[in-house]
Amino acid sequence: MKTTAHFDVTGWDPASSDQPDKGPEMSRIAVQKAFTGDDLEGHSEGEGLFCGMNDPEAGAGYVVSERFTGRLGNRHGTFVMQHGGVMGPEVEPHTFGHVVPGSGTAELTGLVGTVEINREADGTHTFTIEYHFGEEEAA
């Protein structure tokens, strides 16, 4: 199965930062999001490590671990996802991510899948998850 939802960043709290004389800065940031979509609705809280975000065209990357709480399809519960992305000169921007195996709770127990996060030209963010439960066939 596969679904796409929109999300808004509802919290962005920098916890620490490394600003070297040369090279890109690195930051640790607590992040919160609100997700809305036909088959995915809820919120998440997580921690991210970011590099080069002051000048992403020169090169940047991030990794985030976050716990989603809400509804996926007709099931409710939580799961943890880990995702990241890179961009820069001569590098096509791309993201990657996975549901952490064994992290699903309640009706989301057994959730397995991949996630992708994109920022659209108008600044909106989309979240796509391709998933199945346990022994079910992947879509």
Side-chain angles (χ1 to χ4, degrees):
M1 293 175 274
K2 183 176 183 178
T3 190
T4 298
H6 292 279
F7 71 86
D8 293 315
V9 176
T10 58
W12 187 265
D13 185 20
S16 65
S17 184
D18 171 27
Q19 303 279 334
D21 291 336
K22 293 186 179 191
E25 86 290 347
M26 295 189 338
S27 301
R28 183 170 57 91
I29 299 172
V31 62
Q32 296 85 41
K33 298 174 186 167
F35 296 80
T36 56
D38 291 340
D39 289 321
L40 184 115
E41 190 166 7
H43 66 278
S44 70
E45 293 188 23
E47 291 283 330
L49 300 174
F50 295 82
C51 177
M53 300 309 282
N54 288 343
D55 186 12
E57 288 76 27
Y62 79 92
V63 291
V64 172
S65 292
E66 62 188 289
R67 184 178 316 276
F68 172 86
T69 302
R71 177 183 61 80
L72 176 59
N74 60 359
R75 300 180 186 215
H76 293 80
T78 70
F79 65 89
V80 175
M81 63 184 116
Q82 293 183 323
H83 59 90
V86 294
M87 68 176 294
E90 300 180 33
V91 175
E92 186 70 28
H94 68 278
T95 64
F96 53 89
H98 295 274
V99 172
V100 174
S103 68
T105 67
E107 295 174 327
L108 297 179
T109 298
L111 180 67
V112 177
T114 59
V115 300
E116 184 177 346
I117 292 180
N118 288 301
R119 184 175 185 269
E120 305 301 323
D122 66 1
T124 61
H125 293 91
T126 60
F127 172 81
T128 301
I129 180 169
E130 190 164 345
Y131 66 97
H132 65 278
F133 289 91
E135 299 296 319
E136 293 178 12
E137 289 294 317

